[in-house]
Amino acid sequence: MYEWIKALHVIAVIAWMAGMLYLPRLFVYHCEAKAGSGQSETFKVMERRLLQAIINPAMIVTWLAGLYLAWAGHWFSAPWLHGKLVLVVVLSGVHGFFSRWVNDFAADRNARTKRFYRIINEVPTILMAGIVILVIVKPF
Ligand code: HEM
């Protein structure tokens, strides 16, 4: 059972991360589209679907499966898991901001620049690298 849930966890992690890496890219392109243009409306649909159909459910499955693994594997006292949880909570917070920005674009009230989204684009990558190193290497 543990191995099956771990497989589910990794599948959900991949879907969550794929969305978290792609969504800020869409924001960068969306900044270049004029509000009210056909292109801008297409980006709104792409962003909403990516968030609602992939990113949100994938995050929920990642959390549920991850918490099960922590409980079933008696990992809650392991320091590497504490570090991992800190990074995952930050990643979930970034997810919350992405969700807010999808709403901002949907209402044509984005005020942030392309450069801002380019920089933000790197944050999920850095967090993911830290999370994977903690869970695979378990350095402490
Ligand atoms: C949401 C909260 C999360 C919790 C509570 C959690 C917890 C866990 C636990 C307890 C394991 C099993 C470790 C083992 O058997 O050695 C695991 C495996 C794993 N987790 Fe998470 N995790 C979470 C989120 C994430 C995220 C966001 C990522 C990647 C970005 C991730 C990547 C992985 C990977 C790659 C494995 C497989 C490691 C292996 O087979 O050795 N997890 N997780």
Side-chain angles (χ1 to χ4, degrees), residues 16-17 20 23-24 27 51 55-56 59-60 63 84-102 116 120 123-124 127 131:
W16 187 19
M17 290 314 304
M20 291 292 286
L23 189 56
F27 292 155
L51 184 70
I55 304 184
N56 287 346
M59 180 194 69
I60 293 168
W63 267 101
K84 181 176 168 173
L85 282 174
V86 169
L87 297 186
V88 177
V89 166
V90 175
L91 186 66
S92 303
V94 173
H95 180 145
F97 279 110
F98 283 8
S99 169
R100 189 188 297 175
W101 298 338
V102 165
F116 172 83
I120 285 294
V123 174
L127 291 170
I131 292 167

Side-chain angles (χ1 to χ4, degrees), residues 6-69:
K6 188 143 84 171
L8 177 68
H9 181 65
V10 173
I11 292 164
V13 160
I14 290 170
W16 187 19
M17 290 314 304
M20 291 292 286
L21 298 177
Y22 189 48
L23 189 56
R25 261 287 107 206
L26 286 178
F27 292 155
V28 171
Y29 298 137
H30 201 157
C31 283
E32 289 169 355
K34 223 168 141 261
S37 65
Q39 212 184 19
S40 171
E41 295 306 308
T42 305
F43 280 127
K44 288 182 189 178
V45 175
M46 290 168 79
E47 287 155 3
R48 198 189 62 238
R49 290 213 181 127
L50 186 61
L51 184 70
Q52 292 180 352
I54 300 190
I55 304 184
N56 287 346
M59 180 194 69
I60 293 168
V61 175
T62 300
W63 267 101
L64 292 178
L67 289 173
Y68 170 85
L69 292 172

Side-chain angles (χ1 to χ4, degrees), residues 1 3 7 10-11 18 29 31 35 47 58 66 72 76 78 81 90-91 104 106 113-114 124-125 131 137:
M1 184 68 174
E3 301 303 329
V10 173
I11 292 164
Y29 298 137
C31 283
E47 287 155 3
F76 274 121
L81 183 62
V90 175
L91 186 66
D104 285 349
T113 62
K114 232 166 42 175
T125 313
I131 292 167
V137 181

Side-chain angles (χ1 to χ4, degrees), residues 102-118:
V102 165
N103 291 336
D104 285 349
F105 272 111
D108 291 323
R109 58 162 190 260
N110 169 58
R112 283 163 293 269
T113 62
K114 232 166 42 175
R115 193 177 134 74
F116 172 83
Y117 292 116
R118 274 221 188 91

